[in-house]
Amino acid sequence: IGPRSDDEDALLDAEANGNWTPQEKALHEARIKAKAKRRLRRSSSRNSTSESLSESGEAAGGDPSALKGKVHNNDRKSRTGKGRGLPKKGGAGGKGVWGAAGMVYEVEEPDMQDPNYDESAQGDTVYETVVPEVEEKELEKMVNPIVQEYFEHGDTKEVEMLLKELNLGQHKYEVTSLAVSLSLEGKASHRELTSRLLSDLSGKMLSQSEMAHAFDKMLKELPDLILDTPEAPQMLGQFIARAIADHVLPMTFLDCYKGKVDCDHARVALDRAAVLLTMKREMVRLDNVWGVGGGLRPVKHLIKEMNLLLKEYLISGDISEAEHCLRDLEVPHFHHELVYEVVVMVLESKGDTATHMLMKLLQSLWKTGLITVDQMNRGFQRVYDELPEISLDVPHAHSIMETFVDLCFKESVITKQLRDACPSRSAVL
């Protein structure tokens, strides 16, 4: 017990003399209780420190160098006094801890649904363009422009490249039916190009079974095709014959339909194909099944066709049929030859009937635009230049020419300049 302070001495003197006030007496009792509590607290803390130091010394093998009076905060034993005194979690786990010693973790596959998933950190990444399969309702919109452009440039390799960029899937065979349907509504040259396209695509993009599937579909659709193209059965038969000759369709294609066809239009198409294949040149490629289109025809052949056209017109008098035949020739740059043949035929004809009929034909071709001003002028000018030679065979060629030129000018078939350019008999003499 330490020395007393002056205040404590004064309180003790006041107590001895019996002179304490109630306030002084209450203060003195409070101080006594506070001292008692401090003594109790000091004694309890000394006891707990000595016990912990003794336990730590025994656990460490009685190491004398261990710090005395210091509690180890990294002790993983429970300090609550509960449990069996074993390490928490078996010595594994916890914040910032990988687990117990000797534990081996399996390789965990990255989860693509993980918000922290990084695709670029997963090694070599291969990017592949995925083209969705073309739906059946979109197929016609995507294939028709390709085929129509092909009719202009005629390059089968470009068509093959464009079709490979599309994922046609199970509807791939319909390329054949779409191309044939478009060519039925077009020209003979379009049908020839379509046959070449089918031949080039066969074995590369389309198999014989897929080709057969497409033609089988078209045979079933013939009742609808003839609404736009009345000659569809005959044309489809020619397509089938050409495809068999080009080995696009199997040789047994026609045999599969013997006695099994109920549609009259399909029967016509198959009969047409059978006739073409059983001709004298049966196993030769039917390259001329569509004729030779446009400017690929020899000039002599075109002249012969135009002469035949005019002779048939003089017999039938059908101007629309003559116009249709001229269009089928597909040589608009060579229409001046028709004008030339008309004028020469007028000079060689006997009677006015043929002259008026041929003038009406030129008038109709002029109005419909099949013969342009340049073609008309060039045809007449060729006759003007050859008139002296024609006069050797036709003595009255100049007078007939003047009469015909005046008639054509009166009917607005030729221009005034072309009429005035006509050579007269007096000018020749």
Side-chain angles (χ1 to χ4, degrees):
I1 299 173
R4 293 191 298 269
S5 62
D6 294 339
D7 294 336
E8 290 177 348
D9 292 338
L11 288 173
L12 291 174
D13 293 340
E15 182 183 5
N17 297 328
N19 297 328
W20 275 8
T21 62
Q23 292 82 2
E24 292 175 344
K25 187 176 182 180
L27 179 60
H28 179 67
E29 292 177 355
R31 286 178 177 175
I32 293 174
K33 290 179 180 180
K35 285 182 179 182
K37 289 181 180 181
R38 282 197 297 270
R39 292 192 187 100
L40 182 59
R41 192 179 296 118
R42 288 193 191 101
S43 61
S44 62
S45 62
R46 289 192 188 98
N47 294 336
S48 62
T49 302
S50 61
E51 290 176 1
S52 62
L53 287 175
S54 63
E55 291 177 1
S56 62
E58 293 173 359
D63 187 3
S65 62
L67 296 177
K68 298 180 179 181
K70 193 169 185 179
V71 179
H72 294 280
N73 293 328
N74 59 352
D75 184 13
R76 291 180 292 178
K77 293 184 178 180
S78 175
R79 300 188 186 93
T80 59
K82 298 180 180 180
R84 297 176 295 166
L86 300 176
K88 295 181 292 182
K89 299 185 180 179
K95 184 177 181 181
V97 179
W98 288 97
M103 182 179 292
V104 178
Y105 291 92
E106 296 179 356
V107 179
E108 184 177 358
E109 295 294 333
D111 185 7
M112 297 181 63
Q113 304 298 330
D114 189 347
N116 296 324
Y117 177 78
D118 186 5
E119 183 179 0
S120 61
Q122 304 306 320
D124 296 335
T125 303
V126 179
Y127 295 93
E128 182 179 356
T129 302
V130 179
V131 180
E133 182 176 340
V134 178
E135 298 181 1
E136 186 176 3
K137 59 182 179 181
E138 298 292 333
L139 182 65
E140 184 175 354
K141 296 180 181 179
M142 301 182 74
V143 174
N144 279 2
I146 296 177
V147 177
Q148 289 171 348
E149 289 180 7
Y150 166 68
F151 290 157
E152 299 295 330
H153 57 69
D155 189 354
T156 58
K157 292 184 179 179
E158 182 175 347
V159 176
E160 182 181 354
M161 180 187 66
L162 293 174
L163 291 177
K164 285 183 177 179
E165 293 177 356
L166 303 176
N167 184 6
L168 299 177
Q170 59 181 351
H171 306 297
K172 184 169 55 175
Y173 73 94
E174 294 195 22
V175 173
T176 301
S177 58
L178 290 174
V180 173
S181 298
L182 285 175
S183 66
L184 293 179
E185 301 173 1
K187 307 174 183 178
S189 60
H190 293 170
R191 293 187 280 276
E192 172 64 25
L193 288 171
T194 302
S195 293
R196 295 179 185 178
L197 177 63
L198 298 184
S199 178
D200 290 346
L201 293 181
S202 178
K204 297 179 181 178
M205 283 194 62
L206 298 169
S207 62
Q208 284 190 343
S209 60
E210 290 172 331
M211 290 286 189
H213 187 189
F215 277 100
D216 180 71
K217 177 185 177 184
M218 285 184 286
L219 286 171
K220 296 177 181 178
E221 293 177 351
L222 272 176
D224 296 329
L225 293 176
I226 61 174
L227 298 177
D228 297 326
T229 310
E231 302 87 2
Q234 292 81 4
M235 291 182 181
L236 186 58
Q238 293 175 224
F239 266 115
I240 294 174
R242 174 70 176 269
I244 294 175
D246 292 347
H247 303 288
V248 173
L249 289 174
M251 300 297 295
T252 59
F253 180 79
L254 295 179
D255 297 336
C256 300
Y257 292 92
K258 288 184 178 180
K260 301 178 182 180
V261 181
D262 297 330
C263 178
D264 294 336
H265 304 297
R267 191 178 296 110
V268 170
L270 294 172
D271 291 344
R272 175 65 173 166
V275 169
L276 290 174
L277 289 172
T278 53
M279 292 172 65
K280 294 181 181 180
R281 305 169 66 182
E282 53 181 4
M283 296 312 296
V284 180
R285 287 171 59 94
L286 300 176
D287 291 333
N288 61 344
V289 69
W290 304 117
V292 182
L296 299 177
R297 301 185 182 190
V299 174
K300 291 183 180 180
H301 177 77
L302 292 173
I303 295 174
K304 183 179 179 181
E305 290 288 334
M306 289 184 178
N307 270 312
L308 182 61
L309 181 157
L310 293 175
K311 289 177 181 179
E312 290 179 352
Y313 165 68
L314 290 176
I315 295 174
S316 64
D318 190 350
I319 294 179
S320 61
E321 179 64 21
E323 293 178 355
H324 178 72
C325 293
L326 184 61
R327 285 193 177 94
D328 285 346
L329 292 177
E330 301 181 36
V331 283
H333 60 282
F334 201 62
H335 285 178
H336 61 85
E337 178 66 28
L338 181 71
V339 178
Y340 173 83
E341 296 294 338
V342 166
V343 178
V344 172
M345 196 171 286
V346 168
L347 296 178
E348 296 177 350
S349 64
K350 298 178 181 180
D352 297 334
T353 304
T355 300
H356 282 84
M357 288 182 66
L358 292 171
M359 187 276 301
K360 291 292 184 183
L361 177 62
L362 287 180
Q363 185 181 34
S364 177
L365 296 176
W366 164 260
K367 290 181 179 180
T368 56
L370 281 176
I371 296 180
T372 62
V373 177
D374 294 337
Q375 299 288 343
M376 188 73 74
N377 292 341
R378 187 176 176 183
F380 271 89
Q381 192 62 49
R382 285 177 58 192
V383 180
Y384 292 168
D385 296 339
E386 298 178 8
L387 198 56
E389 297 179 3
I390 297 175
S391 299
L392 299 177
D393 298 327
V394 184
H396 302 288
H398 283 86
S399 59
I400 298 174
M401 187 69 186
E402 290 177 359
T403 303
F404 184 68
V405 167
D406 290 337
L407 178 62
C408 289
F409 175 73
K410 182 179 178 181
E411 298 294 334
S412 301
V413 176
I414 62 175
T415 61
K416 183 176 182 299
Q417 291 82 359
L418 187 59
R419 184 200 65 174
D420 296 340
C422 178
S424 60
R425 179 70 178 176
S426 58
V428 175
L429 296 175

